[in-house]
Amino acid sequence: MAQRDDNSAALVDAIYEAPFIPERWPALLQALSRATDGEGGLLLTVDGKHTLNWTACSFVTPLMERFIEGGYEKYNIRPQRGLAKRYPGFMTDQDVMTDEEIEASPIHRDILRPAGIGWSAGTVIPTPSGDLIVFDLSRHIDRGSYDRATLDLLDGFRPHLARAGLLAARMHLEQARSATDMMAKLGLPSAAVDATGRVVVANDLFEALPGQVDIKARDQIQLLNVGAHALLGESLERAASSAGPVSSIALPASEESAAAVLHILPIRREAHDLFARTAALLVVTPLEPAAMPHADLLSGLFDLSPAENRVARALMGGASLRECAKRFGVAEDTVRKQLKSVFTKTATSRQTELLRLLASTTSLPIRG
């Protein structure tokens, strides 16, 4: 009994350690599973938009990867069934599914049974943030179903697991709020957003950007310039998936605001990090018109290629497309295509609009 109490105490300590050191979740899930005669454990969250994030021990990870890649989410009825029962504890498959449903389940047939898994126990925990936190443990088919004593043991850990999940989510929110507050102290409008463009937290300066940014229903961010908004969606997708560079976006001047640049700072994290729903920190750098145009910041601000930067510089100096082609030894059609790419990356559509934006960059400090 003393050994069991010591093991339980160690697991509780590990549960409260995981929110502070997220990479400890897989080891915790493995330990929790082994303590209940299981093969492995999984932790996943589902937000209001049905976005799935997860982490698992080494045994379950390839099974979950197959689950995601094969599109098996549509067959997973257990979380909804468990939530509907409103039971504040762990339940087995048999508690939420009939034997016929289990036998016919593609998840059991294609993923669990080939891996030797025949029994599962899980719990669904709603959080104040609107997420559902799901803990799921699996056991080899030869070891039999989870009995009541084992479920009672797991129920003893459940309050700790719920608090750890809530703590992890709240800690991330506070980190995002601290970042936006720091930007406000520097005089920079800032907001933390998720991959869908939903604002997690924003400072007052960001919320007061007239004519350029609006926060719509359900906290959805909207850049009022159509081209800029399209670029924002693409950049947030790249930020969430770590797929390539993330662009800065030009916010053209409006009747209410001077031109500005929206910088997308991706929040990089461990794969399958559950509670870091923030995909990026958005920071707006206002630009003021200056007397002498300068293009040295183009590549850094707008991710222009060297050739695109060269064309933009020439245009700022008063050259025509024909003169650019002659100067660079390329076809005029090539220069035209490069200019079109510059328009796309800066969310502009005409040369006059582009030149007004580029002239604004001279208000930023430039080192020669």
Side-chain angles (χ1 to χ4, degrees):
M1 180 64 70
Q3 181 64 41
R4 182 168 181 173
D5 290 342
D6 290 343
N7 291 340
S8 295
L11 274 173
V12 171
D13 289 344
I15 289 171
Y16 287 112
E17 185 180 40
F20 297 94
I21 310 176
E23 57 268 26
R24 300 283 176 87
W25 281 109
L28 166 62
L29 293 166
Q30 185 68 65
L32 191 63
S33 176
R34 290 290 168 82
T36 54
D37 199 25
E39 291 294 324
L42 165 73
L43 169 55
L44 62 85
T45 63
V46 182
D47 64 18
K49 299 180 184 297
H50 304 289
T51 301
L52 182 71
N53 294 293
W54 61 276
T55 188
C57 69
S58 58
F59 176 81
V60 175
T61 293
L63 305 183
M64 190 61 184
E65 289 173 345
R66 184 177 178 187
F67 175 88
I68 298 295
E69 292 170 1
Y72 285 85
E73 298 100 315
K74 59 181 176 290
Y75 302 120
N76 190 19
I77 62 176
R78 290 177 57 210
Q80 295 89 341
R81 293 273 184 92
L83 190 64
K85 282 184 171 290
R86 298 183 179 275
Y87 175 68
F90 277 79
M91 293 180 285
T92 66
D93 283 353
Q94 289 75 14
D95 291 324
V96 295
M97 300 172 67
T98 66
D99 290 340
E100 291 76 15
E101 287 175 326
I102 293 173
E103 287 300 319
S105 168
I107 299 172
H108 286 75
R109 182 190 66 228
D110 300 341
I111 300 177
L112 298 180
R113 294 291 164 74
I117 298 301
W119 314 99
S120 299
T123 187
V124 182
I125 304 170
T127 71
S129 65
D131 290 346
L132 294 179
I133 301 176
V134 179
F135 287 90
D136 189 77
L137 304 175
S138 54
R139 180 181 278 182
H140 195 275
I141 193 168
D142 293 338
R143 293 177 182 162
S145 180
Y146 289 84
D147 58 21
R148 186 67 259 168
T150 303
L151 295 177
D152 288 343
L153 176 63
L154 289 171
D155 287 348
F157 292 118
R158 188 178 185 274
H160 304 296
L161 294 168
R163 282 190 286 269
L166 177 60
L167 178 61
R170 288 294 176 86
M171 284 181 65
H172 174 69
L173 180 61
E174 287 306 312
Q175 290 168 353
R177 182 175 289 114
S178 296
T180 58
D181 288 346
M182 178 59 70
M183 293 298 106
K185 291 178 182 178
L186 297 176
L188 297 174
S190 176
V193 298
D194 66 16
T196 68
R198 187 182 70 84
V199 175
V200 177
V201 63
N203 61 27
D204 293 339
L205 295 176
F206 190 90
E207 294 179 347
L209 285 171
Q212 290 175 328
V213 179
D214 194 10
I215 300 177
K216 299 290 189 180
R218 298 188 179 184
D219 299 322
Q220 203 72 22
I221 191 171
Q222 176 75 41
L223 301 186
L224 301 186
N225 179 276
V226 175
H229 188 71
L231 287 175
L232 176 62
E234 296 171 5
S235 294
L236 290 178
E237 287 182 7
R238 291 198 297 270
S241 63
S242 302
V246 180
S247 303
S248 295
I249 299 173
L251 300 179
S254 67
E255 293 182 0
E256 302 168 271
S257 300
V261 177
L262 177 66
H263 303 281
I264 298 94
L265 310 178
I267 307 298
R268 302 301 190 202
R269 54 190 186 267
E270 293 292 327
H272 315 311
D273 190 357
L274 288 166
F275 302 100
R277 291 191 302 169
T278 297
L281 184 68
L282 307 185
V283 180
V284 177
T285 304
L287 302 174
E288 298 298 335
M292 294 296 291
H294 201 298
D296 283 352
L297 293 181
L298 290 183
S299 295
L301 290 177
F302 305 121
D303 298 321
L304 301 187
S305 70
E308 293 162 354
N309 191 3
R310 183 177 62 177
V311 168
R313 278 175 166 280
L315 293 174
M316 291 175 67
S320 67
L321 292 181
R322 180 174 297 177
E323 290 169 338
C324 288
K326 184 177 180 180
R327 183 184 306 177
F328 305 140
V330 298
E332 187 173 339
D333 187 55
T334 299
V335 176
R336 200 179 308 279
K337 289 179 180 178
Q338 291 167 347
L339 177 60
K340 183 178 180 181
S341 180
V342 172
F343 284 155
T344 299
K345 292 183 178 181
T346 58
T348 57
S349 57
R350 299 187 304 274
Q351 281 186 234
T352 54
E353 186 180 2
L354 173 66
L355 293 176
R356 283 199 303 269
L357 174 69
L358 300 183
S360 301
T361 63
T362 56
S363 66
L364 296 177
I366 302 172
R367 298 187 62 178

